[in-house]
Amino acid sequence: MRSSKVRLEQIADTEKLREAFLRAARGKCGRAAVQQFRARLPEELDSLRAELLAERVDLGRFSAFTIYEPKERRIPAPRFQERVLHHALIGPVEADFERWLIDDCYAC
């Protein structure tokens, strides 16, 4: 497995986490989870930063919803805090992933 030169401290930077929040919230500002996160933004970002630096981030709690186009499918979705983490991670490592992945990879 390959590794990235990006360090955890870079990902856990408060300003980088704030930017990740803004990217994760884009187009979803009306959702309750986003509004709740925004209402406690400094505390939520501090909590996420502390979890990252302690390497103890609680992952894998999903909600699920069903879509019906073109056929019925059940979609698991990460909670909003985890979406912020996704955005915080992908920013610094995206260039590395782009070099490593094959051209027709559509992985999430």
Side-chain angles (χ1 to χ4, degrees):
M1 174 167 213
R2 297 183 185 208
S3 64
S4 174
K5 292 183 172 113
V6 176
R7 297 289 155 238
L8 202 53
E9 293 78 19
Q10 293 171 277
I11 295 167
D13 177 70
T14 303
E15 189 54 38
K16 298 290 185 196
L17 290 174
R18 183 179 305 283
E19 292 168 9
F21 161 74
L22 294 173
R23 286 191 305 275
R26 190 175 303 140
K28 297 169 180 55
C29 292
R31 295 186 181 174
V34 177
Q35 291 174 353
Q36 290 169 357
F37 197 96
R38 183 185 305 266
R40 296 181 26 86
L41 187 60
E43 295 88 357
E44 292 285 357
L45 294 181
D46 286 344
S47 173
L48 184 55
R49 176 177 163 69
E51 289 177 16
L52 277 167
L53 293 175
E55 298 182 19
R56 297 186 183 269
V57 179
D58 182 24
L59 300 173
R61 292 187 300 170
F62 291 87
S63 60
F65 60 94
T66 304
I67 61 171
Y68 297 94
E69 292 183 22
K71 62 183 180 183
E72 183 177 338
R73 290 183 286 162
R74 189 102 170 120
I75 308 294
R79 60 194 168 104
F80 187 72
Q81 180 184 19
E82 199 166 325
R83 290 183 56 82
V84 173
L85 177 58
H86 293 171
H87 283 275
L89 289 170
I90 198 63
V93 300
E94 185 173 26
D96 290 338
F97 282 173
E98 289 294 325
R99 283 192 303 273
W100 301 334
L101 295 174
I102 59 175
D103 290 335
D104 56 354
C105 176
Y106 300 100
C108 174

